[in-house]
Amino acid sequence: MQKLISYPISVIYYLLFSLTLIIFHPIQWVCFNVFGYQAHKKSVDYLNFFLIKCTNLVGTRYKFDGIDRIPKNVPIIFVCNHQSMYDIIAMIWFLRRFHCKFVSKKELGSGIPSVSYNLTHGGSVLIDRKEPKQALPAIKGLSEYIEKYNRSAVIFPEGTRSKTGHPKPFAQSGLKILCKYAPNAYVVPISINNSWKMVKFGFFPVGLGNRLTFAIHNPLKVSEFDFEELIEKAESAVVKGIKI
């Protein structure tokens, strides 16, 4: 029944969602090219604020637990499970003070209004999953960037999103590079729940009435752990916080 009801609502939702992306694309361009990073950052924040409001129209609500646990004025590596694109929208807005930058697949770097522009100009990195040798220096550059400016990198070590909410094993290479070249960083595990339900029918129609939760766990200082222990603790925290 929900799927049937969702069809007409989803048409309106995607029209508004797409319109928001189109409107903010030139706004981002002006902010970046005329006023610089801070203005562009603000434009991206408010782009995602309005995208959040679009999802509210289909009954989506968000809850972030533990934001106060995140250290301030230090580099941060957010380590999360991945369930849908709505993970990213929510993190950009609700964690905006931490200047989130993403490790994303290169396919997102072109053809998507606003999204592609932000990924290519906002400090994130685009990697080709078929070319691991290309990915490593790109991630190294991101780690050096967050180390220098006390910003945050977001990595989804599963490699691809879970379509059912069940976590996949973490890959180590990307996170290992981030930790190696950002030695002053803190790894902050985050468990994301119910985001997959937004796309449980596929791209269309959208799932209705979902409550997305983001459980932020205790930070782990990179310099205080061997990498094997660090990733074990991070993965364990993320997995324990996932509710199916």
Side-chain angles (χ1 to χ4, degrees), residues 91-109:
M91 292 184 72
I92 291 175
W93 173 248
F94 289 101
L95 300 180
R96 59 193 178 277
R97 75 179 73 169
F98 300 102
H99 296 243
C100 293
K101 312 302 177 187
F102 293 84
V103 179
S104 301
K105 57 184 180 180
K106 72 170 187 177
E107 290 83 359
L108 298 177

Side-chain angles (χ1 to χ4, degrees), residues 4 10 29 54 61 103 139-140 198 202 211 224 237:
L4 185 63
S10 295
W29 188 94
C54 288
R61 296 294 180 268
V103 179
I139 296 173
K140 175 177 178 286
M198 295 288 290
R211 187 170 189 253
E224 293 181 354

Side-chain angles (χ1 to χ4, degrees), residues 1-7 9-10 13 55 57-60 197-201 205-211:
M1 179 62 71
Q2 184 192 111
K3 186 175 182 180
L4 185 63
I5 294 171
S6 180
Y7 276 105
I9 298 173
S10 295
Y13 164 71
T55 66
L57 296 175
V58 294
T60 307
K197 294 179 181 179
M198 295 288 290
V199 290
K200 63 183 177 181
F201 304 126
V206 67
L208 302 179
N210 295 300
R211 187 170 189 253

Side-chain angles (χ1 to χ4, degrees), residues 106-180:
K106 72 170 187 177
E107 290 83 359
L108 298 177
S110 61
I112 308 173
S114 283
V115 173
S116 296
Y117 192 88
N118 179 44
L119 288 175
T120 53
H121 294 85
S124 296
V125 296
L126 298 165
I127 62 173
D128 186 347
R129 289 182 293 188
K130 298 178 182 178
E131 295 287 344
K133 290 183 179 180
Q134 173 269 336
L136 297 181
I139 296 173
K140 175 177 178 286
L142 176 60
S143 61
E144 292 170 341
Y145 172 86
I146 66 168
E147 177 82 3
K148 180 177 180 180
Y149 294 105
N150 286 338
R151 291 172 183 162
S152 67
V154 181
I155 188 167
F156 303 110
E158 293 167 301
T160 185
R161 67 182 179 87
S162 169
K163 296 181 180 180
T164 62
H166 291 276
K168 300 178 181 181
F170 279 16
Q172 297 188 12
S173 56
L175 180 55
K176 189 171 187 177
I177 293 294
L178 285 174
C179 292
K180 180 178 181 179

